[in-house]
Amino acid sequence: MKLVVINPNSTQSMTDKILESARAAAADGVVVEGRTAHGAPASIEGHYDEVMAAAHLLREVQQAEAEAADAIVVACFDDPAIGACREIATGPVIGICEAGIKAASMIATSFSIVTTLPRSVPVIEELVRRYGLDHQCRKVRSAAIPVLALEEPGSNARQLVRDEILRAIEEDNCEAVVLGCAGMSDLTEWLSVETGIPVIDGVTVATKFAEALVGAGLKTSKIGAYAKPNSK
Amino acid sequence: MKLVVINPNSTQSMTDKILESARAAAADGVVVEGRTAHGAPASIEGHYDEVMAAAHLLREVQQAEAEAADAIVVACFDDPAIGACREIATGPVIGICEAGIKAASMIATSFSIVTTLPRSVPVIEELVRRYGLDHQCRKVRSAAIPVLALEEPGSNARQLVRDEILRAIEEDNCEAVVLGCAGMSDLTEWLSVETGIPVIDGVTVATKFAEALVGAGLKTSKIGAYAKPNSK
Amino acid sequence: MKLVVINPNSTQSMTDKILESARAAAADGVVVEGRTAHGAPASIEGHYDEVMAAAHLLREVQQAEAEAADAIVVACFDDPAIGACREIATGPVIGICEAGIKAASMIATSFSIVTTLPRSVPVIEELVRRYGLDHQCRKVRSAAIPVLALEEPGSNARQLVRDEILRAIEEDNCEAVVLGCAGMSDLTEWLSVETGIPVIDGVTVATKFAEALVGAGLKTSKIGAYAKPNSK
Amino acid sequence: MKLVVINPNSTQSMTDKILESARAAAADGVVVEGRTAHGAPASIEGHYDEVMAAAHLLREVQQAEAEAADAIVVACFDDPAIGACREIATGPVIGICEAGIKAASMIATSFSIVTTLPRSVPVIEELVRRYGLDHQCRKVRSAAIPVLALEEPGSNARQLVRDEILRAIEEDNCEAVVLGCAGMSDLTEWLSVETGIPVIDGVTVATKFAEALVGAGLKTSKIGAYAKPNSK
Amino acid sequence: MKLVVINPNSTQSMTDKILESARAAAADGVVVEGRTAHGAPASIEGHYDEVMAAAHLLREVQQAEAEAADAIVVACFDDPAIGACREIATGPVIGICEAGIKAASMIATSFSIVTTLPRSVPVIEELVRRYGLDHQCRKVRSAAIPVLALEEPGSNARQLVRDEILRAIEEDNCEAVVLGCAGMSDLTEWLSVETGIPVIDGVTVATKFAEALVGAGLKTSKIGAYAKPNSK
Amino acid sequence: MKLVVINPNSTQSMTDKILESARAAAADGVVVEGRTAHGAPASIEGHYDEVMAAAHLLREVQQAEAEAADAIVVACFDDPAIGACREIATGPVIGICEAGIKAASMIATSFSIVTTLPRSVPVIEELVRRYGLDHQCRKVRSAAIPVLALEEPGSNARQLVRDEILRAIEEDNCEAVVLGCAGMSDLTEWLSVETGIPVIDGVTVATKFAEALVGAGLKTSKIGAYAKPNSK
């Protein structure tokens, strides 16, 4: 099985990190390839960045499709352009927000999300509501760090994320925490140990869910909204 | 006041039609300009087209912003990239789906929507739910016509739309119908007469709502999710 | 175009203030007339007052209808008797709560409401839910002032409203604030300046939305719940 | 215990019928008195009638309060002015829609409602949603009869109601039916026998729920929205 | 009329207390019998306990059915196995959570719930949502006491419950409080006096609602999900 | 990795079938064991059967836990006692309804469910709503067959299921179908071919999701509602 994990922003170090997480999670025999949406913004912080990344992301999806990828993971917590990716792809396409919160809902009655910037909070709140899990989501929280701070060696970003998780435990009574940015992927284990709560990394879970759907023989439905784009 | 109405697809005849509707609706003293998202798909029929149009749409929003537009209407019923447009724009940005259904909810207790292709139905259903009006929306219906059929002289598209509205009245007990495509804009009056139900054209209503918000002194909030995009 | 703005309580100074706001907002060529629901309570603070005002309000709607008003604004944030007004009226009828929150939802991803007395909070919460915007409403807040304190020169009511808006910004992370009482209409500009957040006055917005619907050629649907009352 | 059942319309024969149902349902020792909202419309068919009845209804509530009624039933399926009644009353106030559907939800997983005129359907749909039971309500149906047809000896109204219930069973897969008009109260037993489904009369159930709340020592909460009206 | 009140745990002192509340509430002529689910856990604190109690509870329901009980109250706030009880029983079966919150919603616009252990909070939140009353429930709170602490003479459990109610009033702006455990039944009056808010005991209210439904001639619907279990 | 798949009813042939599906789906290196809830009803058709099966199911969960199972699948579409299973288990516990519909929502914008008996429809509707996916579920349908008909060689059960799926495609415009009974597991491939729509088997998907969660290093959260049962 071939799985393509696409970082929809153009920061290579994030792609590397994401790919590492995906490969660590992948089952034996699953070939995981990482792709960077070259030309996209360096990070996705809001709706505008999402749009400016989307066409580049789709190009990578088309490339993955051309290379017969069995499944695709879109590794940005805003789940950008997921519907469009699903129209192009034959196999399943999984966004890390959808994967993260659906996984959380299978191991806990409630969860909070910790993301980077405050401006992403309403974006994620809308996603959670769209996926139907707002009744299990205690709160979407921001650690008040830019996405790229997660890439800077020596920044205190990881401490800020940990502190926000501890506040989530204290104030939200949540039973799990979902990391609200692909760039936090490498912190998952450390954060789990530091906080004592299940900490869920969307990249890891999306990788496994992609494997799961492929393993179950499922492909994206092509009889409705996710049919191949109409030619003009 | 200067209002820019953007057709997010690249079909000039649709822009002309949309502009005509917007100008017919605009108050005296409102300058309405029409823009075409050159480079976008010829029509927006699903998520993929939406993404492929979005960056071109944003370019037009930026241009409008540079020209000090007071408000912007995005004239496609999928309300593509509205959040991103709002991040860029200073003034209000109105999508025709949001405008159409919010207008409907002010003059009727329920409405149905008639769009073009079946594949757009789930896209619009999700929009309606996102805007919180699913409890007033009886049904999203498709007239089973491609968007561009509305541009072909002599096609039976208008008859199919009318017939679908008549079915909506009969089967849904709706009190108003919202036209689910900017390309139906020129049919509004004819359809109202033919069907005897309030028929709501999103282009017209979005034009008026844009004027209304500007007239009320309101601009897009810049303290949260719609703040200017972060520079990288 | 003729727009009638009805104050459903019997306090003339409120009518004057409301009329001033509406006239300031109205487009050239729109004749705005103000009406007071003589016989109604001096202020509407809860369900009982709402009922005691409603028949007087309807009498003014009927009068407006007799005088061929093109649209009607009901200037109380509880949106009293809106359904009944719509049954009587030919043109659109807009309540200031519905107008205020729907406007807010077009320029911000979330908003809070600041009203007068605590007892109005649940009334407004129910309205917001009825209009389907509870997912965008962060909180309904009370400044803990009686409605008529807003009419007393020298009262500290405006300071209390401002302070509550500042708390909303701090605690709710809202992106806009809707003023939850028609009597706050004259404070809008001052509050916007003081708080730096879009402050939305329902009277102003309802006036503009009424113009918008009339300008779009829309009237209240008469084929369902808003049909003329049955004669007995 | 003293229970006052108020017919919010002015048709005495409906009051008599309602009172008969309430008395038949009441426990030994409960004194049930019937009141007619003289001055109100002869029937309540829509929002306007509701408003025109409301002040007359409140006058009867005040009278009941003056006579130390322990509880009040408002016998119209639109639950008119319930919030206002609760502000005035010390004891519980029960509307027959709320009572009917909450009873239905205790004996069945789903129910449909059969009311009189089509125009009341959206009014009741909104009520059901307000009470939070839309997920258990299969459909609100109309038997297409004016309210007062239920008062005419020899009309075929009862047959039409029965036929609509049979359609509800067939088409909705509902497990119970709630009668959507106080004027159907006397048909309950006959309809149950004819249709073989639990048929719920709001008047009967509201009477019993009023007894229940009084028996449980509960009164209307006076610390929030249902506090006594503010004096002006 | 014969009413059987079943304590689904095996603690006899709780049954005694519950029975006392039910008998105090019951109307003249209603025979109330108490049953203990011998073999069940000593208290129900979470999903596991609920399951381990359920079959024992059903055995008591069957026994009650064999003895021609007219109605059944299940006296645990998790409303365990209510659907199953309704399949077996001919008459109405009422759980105390459903009864408590539906009663609260008839006398107040909002309520909070105070239960025993934190682990029961999500269980009750899900119940409240299932019953459709999440929009009226301000918060589900825990007094942080094990269920059986309520049975220990001299424990400070009642003080802790009172303090939590006072916090609910202060922080939640709720208009009523529902006691979230059958074992708090005997504290109702004391808590009402101490806190000045309507305090609702599910046992009392369920007893009265059971009487009410029987008095209204209603039985559990047998044409759908609550039909008698299929024989195998 | 060791996965235990539990059939919560006592029909061995169903366990065999379920185990076959799970093993066919499982990745290399995953040991799948099947367990039958001996003592449970022969099939689960409604709430009563669910309760009568639950304690037997929990016994098997405890046994699996004792044998250090890494994850557990509960193979009945009513997801019986899932919360209780999660309290006992250390690893993830997946019900086939939750797995089936969450998988469906990742490959399609909407789905319908086809179950066995009509009485299971409301049970599943409630589950779907509890999981938050009611907005994506077009309809829960019954093929009108007893569960055990699926075990009878030569019965026409499979044809009836296929016909119901075809009706779902025709009438619901769904983009995928979820099989609403573990006993349909062996029909998945045949039904997919016959109907041309993605047909989702909960057993298969739950198996893969269990693997996925284990592979992602996730266990059931033990800090809230799913903590180990309290000892008494």
Side-chain angles (χ1 to χ4, degrees):
Chain A
M1 170 186 161
K2 177 173 175 176
L3 172 67
V4 173
V5 178
I6 307 174
N7 170 16
N9 72 37
S10 60
T11 298
Q12 185 64 42
S13 64
M14 273 191 72
T15 312
D16 296 344
K17 183 197 293 184
I18 289 163
L19 184 56
E20 192 170 353
S21 292
R23 283 190 172 146
D28 289 349
V30 176
V31 177
V32 185
E33 296 185 9
R35 300 282 160 74
T36 303
H38 298 295
S43 58
I44 298 184
E45 298 170 323
H47 309 86
Y48 175 82
D49 291 348
E50 210 178 304
V51 167
M52 296 317 286
H56 302 284
L57 163 62
L58 290 197
R59 185 195 62 227
E60 296 302 324
V61 174
Q62 272 162 328
Q63 183 62 24
E65 188 68 12
E67 294 169 6
D70 295 292
I72 290 164
V73 165
V74 178
C76 167
F77 207 79
D78 293 351
D79 285 2
I82 286 294
C85 298
R86 286 178 178 158
E87 288 188 18
I88 304 175
T90 303
V93 180
I94 313 287
I96 67 171
C97 174
E98 183 171 5
I101 64 176
K102 287 188 177 166
S105 69
M106 292 176 186
I107 61 161
T109 65
S110 67
F111 57 87
S112 287
I113 295 170
V114 174
T115 189
T116 51
L117 287 176
R119 72 180 301 153
S120 292
V121 170
V123 176
I124 294 172
E125 287 174 333
E126 186 175 290
L127 272 179
V128 171
R129 181 170 176 269
R130 200 188 307 175
Y131 292 131
L133 293 182
D134 37 325
H135 65 294
Q136 294 189 268
C137 182
R138 292 282 185 201
K139 192 166 185 177
V140 182
R141 291 169 163 273
S142 151
I145 47 173
V147 168
L148 295 180
L150 293 161
E151 303 305 297
E152 292 166 20
S155 87
N156 67 340
R158 62 166 57 202
Q159 283 75 21
L160 292 172
V161 173
R162 178 197 56 197
D163 293 353
E164 195 65 29
I165 294 177
L166 293 174
R167 268 192 292 277
I169 297 172
E170 176 81 10
E171 297 171 11
D172 306 351
N173 287 320
C174 59
E175 299 178 7
V177 163
V178 181
L179 297 177
C181 178
M184 297 174 183
S185 187
D186 58 329
L187 307 178
T188 314
E189 197 174 333
W190 180 76
L191 289 168
S192 298
V193 171
E194 289 276 311
T195 63
I197 196 174
V199 174
I200 298 172
D201 167 38
V203 177
T204 299
V205 173
T207 299
K208 300 306 291 180
F209 279 2
E211 280 180 8
L213 295 176
V214 171
L218 294 174
K219 301 184 175 184
T220 297
S221 175
K222 291 293 165 188
I223 64 170
Y226 295 151
K228 292 278 174 190
N230 293 6
S231 54
K232 310 286 172 187
Chain B
M1 171 188 162
K2 177 173 174 176
L3 172 68
V4 173
V5 178
I6 307 174
N7 170 16
N9 72 37
S10 60
T11 298
Q12 186 64 41
S13 64
M14 274 191 72
T15 311
D16 296 344
K17 183 197 294 184
I18 290 164
L19 184 56
E20 191 170 355
S21 292
R23 284 192 171 145
D28 288 349
V30 176
V31 177
V32 185
E33 296 185 10
R35 301 282 160 74
T36 302
H38 299 295
S43 59
I44 298 183
E45 298 170 323
H47 308 86
Y48 174 83
D49 291 347
E50 209 176 305
V51 167
M52 297 317 287
H56 302 284
L57 163 62
L58 290 197
R59 185 194 62 227
E60 296 301 324
V61 174
Q62 271 161 328
Q63 183 62 25
E65 187 68 12
E67 295 169 5
D70 295 291
I72 290 165
V73 166
V74 178
C76 167
F77 207 79
D78 292 351
D79 285 1
I82 286 294
C85 298
R86 286 178 177 157
E87 289 188 18
I88 304 175
T90 303
V93 180
I94 312 288
I96 66 171
C97 174
E98 184 171 4
I101 65 176
K102 286 188 178 167
S105 69
M106 292 176 186
I107 61 161
T109 66
S110 67
F111 57 87
S112 287
I113 295 170
V114 174
T115 188
T116 50
L117 286 176
R119 71 179 302 153
S120 292
V121 169
V123 176
I124 294 172
E125 287 174 332
E126 186 176 289
L127 273 179
V128 171
R129 182 170 175 269
R130 200 188 307 175
Y131 293 131
L133 293 181
D134 36 326
H135 64 294
Q136 294 189 269
C137 181
R138 293 282 184 199
K139 192 167 185 176
V140 182
R141 290 169 164 273
S142 150
I145 47 173
V147 168
L148 295 181
L150 293 160
E151 303 304 297
E152 291 166 22
S155 88
N156 66 340
R158 63 166 56 201
Q159 282 75 23
L160 292 172
V161 174
R162 178 197 56 195
D163 294 353
E164 195 65 30
I165 294 177
L166 294 174
R167 268 192 292 277
I169 297 172
E170 176 81 9
E171 297 172 10
D172 307 350
N173 287 320
C174 58
E175 300 178 6
V177 163
V178 181
L179 297 177
C181 178
M184 297 174 183
S185 188
D186 58 329
L187 307 178
T188 314
E189 197 174 333
W190 180 76
L191 289 168
S192 298
V193 171
E194 289 277 311
T195 63
I197 196 173
V199 174
I200 297 172
D201 166 39
V203 177
T204 298
V205 173
T207 298
K208 300 306 292 179
F209 279 2
E211 282 180 6
L213 295 176
V214 171
L218 294 174
K219 300 184 175 184
T220 297
S221 175
K222 290 294 165 188
I223 64 170
Y226 295 149
K228 292 278 175 191
N230 293 7
S231 55
K232 309 287 171 187
Chain C
M1 171 188 161
K2 177 173 176 176
L3 172 67
V4 173
V5 179
I6 307 174
N7 170 16
N9 73 37
S10 59
T11 298
Q12 185 65 40
S13 64
M14 275 191 71
T15 311
D16 295 344
K17 183 197 294 185
I18 289 163
L19 184 56
E20 192 170 354
S21 292
R23 283 191 172 146
D28 288 349
V30 175
V31 178
V32 186
E33 296 185 11
R35 302 281 161 74
T36 303
H38 299 295
S43 59
I44 298 184
E45 298 170 323
H47 309 86
Y48 175 82
D49 290 348
E50 210 177 304
V51 167
M52 296 318 286
H56 302 285
L57 163 62
L58 290 196
R59 184 195 63 227
E60 296 301 325
V61 174
Q62 272 162 327
Q63 182 63 24
E65 188 68 12
E67 295 169 5
D70 294 291
I72 290 165
V73 166
V74 178
C76 167
F77 206 79
D78 293 350
D79 286 0
I82 286 294
C85 297
R86 286 178 177 158
E87 289 188 17
I88 304 175
T90 303
V93 179
I94 313 289
I96 66 171
C97 174
E98 184 171 5
I101 64 176
K102 286 187 177 168
S105 69
M106 291 177 188
I107 62 161
T109 66
S110 67
F111 58 86
S112 287
I113 296 170
V114 174
T115 189
T116 50
L117 286 177
R119 72 179 302 153
S120 291
V121 170
V123 175
I124 294 171
E125 288 174 332
E126 186 175 290
L127 272 180
V128 171
R129 181 171 178 269
R130 201 188 306 176
Y131 292 131
L133 293 180
D134 36 327
H135 65 295
Q136 293 188 269
C137 182
R138 293 282 184 200
K139 192 166 184 176
V140 182
R141 290 169 165 274
S142 150
I145 47 173
V147 168
L148 295 181
L150 293 161
E151 303 304 298
E152 290 166 21
S155 88
N156 66 341
R158 63 165 57 202
Q159 283 75 21
L160 292 172
V161 172
R162 179 197 55 195
D163 295 352
E164 195 64 29
I165 293 177
L166 293 174
R167 268 192 292 277
I169 296 172
E170 176 80 10
E171 297 171 11
D172 306 349
N173 287 320
C174 59
E175 300 178 5
V177 163
V178 181
L179 297 178
C181 179
M184 296 175 183
S185 187
D186 58 331
L187 307 178
T188 313
E189 197 174 333
W190 180 76
L191 290 168
S192 298
V193 172
E194 289 276 311
T195 63
I197 197 175
V199 174
I200 297 172
D201 167 39
V203 176
T204 298
V205 173
T207 298
K208 300 307 290 180
F209 278 3
E211 283 180 11
L213 295 176
V214 171
L218 294 174
K219 301 184 176 186
T220 297
S221 175
K222 291 293 165 187
I223 64 170
Y226 295 150
K228 293 278 175 191
N230 294 6
S231 54
K232 310 287 171 187
Chain D
M1 170 186 163
K2 177 174 175 175
L3 172 68
V4 172
V5 179
I6 307 175
N7 170 17
N9 73 37
S10 59
T11 298
Q12 186 64 41
S13 64
M14 274 191 71
T15 312
D16 296 344
K17 183 198 293 186
I18 290 163
L19 183 57
E20 191 171 355
S21 292
R23 283 190 171 146
D28 289 350
V30 176
V31 177
V32 186
E33 296 185 9
R35 299 282 160 74
T36 302
H38 299 296
S43 59
I44 298 184
E45 297 169 325
H47 309 87
Y48 175 82
D49 290 347
E50 212 178 303
V51 167
M52 296 318 286
H56 302 286
L57 163 62
L58 290 196
R59 185 195 61 227
E60 296 302 323
V61 174
Q62 272 163 326
Q63 183 62 24
E65 188 68 11
E67 295 169 6
D70 295 291
I72 290 164
V73 166
V74 177
C76 167
F77 206 79
D78 294 351
D79 285 1
I82 285 293
C85 297
R86 285 178 178 158
E87 289 189 18
I88 304 175
T90 303
V93 179
I94 313 288
I96 67 172
C97 174
E98 184 171 5
I101 64 177
K102 287 188 176 166
S105 69
M106 292 176 187
I107 61 162
T109 67
S110 68
F111 58 87
S112 287
I113 296 170
V114 175
T115 189
T116 51
L117 286 177
R119 72 179 302 153
S120 291
V121 169
V123 176
I124 293 171
E125 287 174 332
E126 186 175 290
L127 272 180
V128 171
R129 182 172 177 267
R130 199 188 307 175
Y131 292 131
L133 294 181
D134 35 327
H135 63 296
Q136 294 189 269
C137 181
R138 292 283 183 198
K139 192 166 186 177
V140 182
R141 291 168 164 274
S142 150
I145 46 173
V147 169
L148 295 181
L150 293 160
E151 303 305 298
E152 292 165 21
S155 87
N156 66 339
R158 63 165 57 202
Q159 282 77 22
L160 293 172
V161 173
R162 178 197 56 196
D163 294 352
E164 195 65 29
I165 294 177
L166 293 174
R167 267 192 293 276
I169 297 172
E170 176 81 10
E171 298 172 10
D172 306 349
N173 286 321
C174 59
E175 300 178 6
V177 163
V178 181
L179 297 177
C181 178
M184 296 173 183
S185 187
D186 58 330
L187 307 178
T188 314
E189 196 174 334
W190 180 76
L191 290 167
S192 299
V193 171
E194 289 276 312
T195 64
I197 197 173
V199 174
I200 298 172
D201 166 39
V203 176
T204 298
V205 173
T207 298
K208 299 307 291 180
F209 278 2
E211 281 179 7
L213 295 176
V214 171
L218 295 173
K219 300 184 176 184
T220 297
S221 175
K222 289 295 164 186
I223 64 170
Y226 295 150
K228 291 280 175 190
N230 293 6
S231 55
K232 309 289 170 184
Chain E
M1 171 187 162
K2 177 173 174 176
L3 172 67
V4 172
V5 179
I6 306 174
N7 170 17
N9 73 37
S10 60
T11 299
Q12 185 65 41
S13 64
M14 275 191 70
T15 312
D16 296 345
K17 183 197 293 184
I18 290 163
L19 184 55
E20 193 171 352
S21 292
R23 282 190 172 145
D28 289 350
V30 176
V31 177
V32 186
E33 295 185 11
R35 300 282 160 74
T36 302
H38 299 295
S43 58
I44 297 184
E45 298 170 323
H47 310 86
Y48 175 82
D49 291 348
E50 210 177 304
V51 167
M52 297 317 286
H56 302 285
L57 163 61
L58 290 196
R59 185 195 62 228
E60 296 301 325
V61 174
Q62 272 162 327
Q63 182 63 25
E65 187 69 11
E67 294 169 7
D70 294 292
I72 290 164
V73 166
V74 177
C76 167
F77 206 79
D78 293 351
D79 286 1
I82 286 293
C85 297
R86 286 178 177 157
E87 289 189 17
I88 304 175
T90 302
V93 179
I94 313 289
I96 67 172
C97 174
E98 183 171 4
I101 64 177
K102 287 188 176 166
S105 69
M106 291 176 186
I107 61 162
T109 66
S110 67
F111 57 88
S112 287
I113 296 170
V114 174
T115 188
T116 50
L117 286 176
R119 72 180 302 154
S120 292
V121 169
V123 176
I124 293 171
E125 287 174 332
E126 186 175 289
L127 271 180
V128 171
R129 181 170 177 269
R130 199 187 307 175
Y131 292 131
L133 293 181
D134 36 327
H135 64 295
Q136 294 189 269
C137 181
R138 293 281 184 200
K139 192 166 185 176
V140 182
R141 291 168 163 274
S142 150
I145 47 172
V147 169
L148 295 181
L150 293 161
E151 304 304 298
E152 292 166 21
S155 86
N156 66 340
R158 62 166 56 201
Q159 282 75 22
L160 293 172
V161 173
R162 178 197 56 196
D163 294 352
E164 195 65 29
I165 294 177
L166 294 174
R167 269 191 291 277
I169 296 172
E170 176 80 11
E171 298 172 10
D172 306 350
N173 287 321
C174 60
E175 300 178 6
V177 164
V178 181
L179 297 177
C181 179
M184 297 174 182
S185 186
D186 58 330
L187 307 178
T188 314
E189 196 174 334
W190 180 76
L191 290 167
S192 299
V193 171
E194 288 277 310
T195 63
I197 197 175
V199 174
I200 298 172
D201 166 39
V203 177
T204 298
V205 173
T207 299
K208 299 307 291 180
F209 279 2
E211 280 179 7
L213 295 176
V214 171
L218 294 174
K219 301 184 176 184
T220 298
S221 174
K222 290 295 165 187
I223 64 170
Y226 295 150
K228 292 279 175 190
N230 294 6
S231 54
K232 309 287 170 185
Chain F
M1 171 187 162
K2 178 173 174 176
L3 172 67
V4 173
V5 179
I6 306 174
N7 170 16
N9 72 37
S10 59
T11 298
Q12 186 64 42
S13 64
M14 274 191 71
T15 310
D16 297 344
K17 183 196 295 183
I18 290 163
L19 184 56
E20 192 171 354
S21 292
R23 283 190 171 145
D28 287 349
V30 176
V31 178
V32 186
E33 295 185 10
R35 300 282 160 73
T36 304
H38 298 295
S43 59
I44 298 184
E45 298 170 323
H47 309 86
Y48 174 83
D49 290 348
E50 211 177 303
V51 167
M52 297 317 286
H56 302 284
L57 163 62
L58 290 197
R59 185 194 63 227
E60 295 302 323
V61 174
Q62 271 162 327
Q63 182 62 25
E65 188 69 11
E67 295 170 5
D70 295 291
I72 290 165
V73 166
V74 177
C76 167
F77 206 79
D78 293 351
D79 286 1
I82 286 294
C85 296
R86 286 178 178 157
E87 289 189 17
I88 303 175
T90 303
V93 179
I94 312 289
I96 66 171
C97 174
E98 183 171 5
I101 64 177
K102 287 188 176 167
S105 68
M106 292 177 186
I107 61 161
T109 66
S110 68
F111 57 87
S112 287
I113 296 170
V114 174
T115 189
T116 50
L117 286 177
R119 71 179 302 153
S120 291
V121 170
V123 175
I124 293 172
E125 288 174 332
E126 187 176 289
L127 272 179
V128 171
R129 181 170 177 268
R130 201 189 305 175
Y131 292 131
L133 293 180
D134 36 327
H135 64 295
Q136 294 189 268
C137 182
R138 293 282 183 199
K139 192 166 185 177
V140 182
R141 290 169 164 274
S142 150
I145 47 172
V147 169
L148 295 181
L150 293 161
E151 303 305 297
E152 290 167 20
S155 87
N156 66 339
R158 63 165 57 201
Q159 283 76 22
L160 292 172
V161 173
R162 179 197 56 196
D163 295 351
E164 196 65 30
I165 293 176
L166 294 174
R167 267 192 293 276
I169 296 172
E170 176 81 11
E171 297 171 11
D172 306 349
N173 287 320
C174 59
E175 299 178 7
V177 164
V178 181
L179 297 178
C181 178
M184 296 174 184
S185 187
D186 58 329
L187 307 178
T188 314
E189 197 175 332
W190 179 76
L191 289 168
S192 299
V193 171
E194 290 276 311
T195 63
I197 196 173
V199 174
I200 298 171
D201 167 39
V203 177
T204 298
V205 174
T207 298
K208 299 307 290 180
F209 279 2
E211 281 180 6
L213 295 176
V214 171
L218 295 173
K219 300 184 176 185
T220 297
S221 175
K222 290 294 165 187
I223 64 170
Y226 295 150
K228 291 280 174 190
N230 294 5
S231 55
K232 309 288 170 185

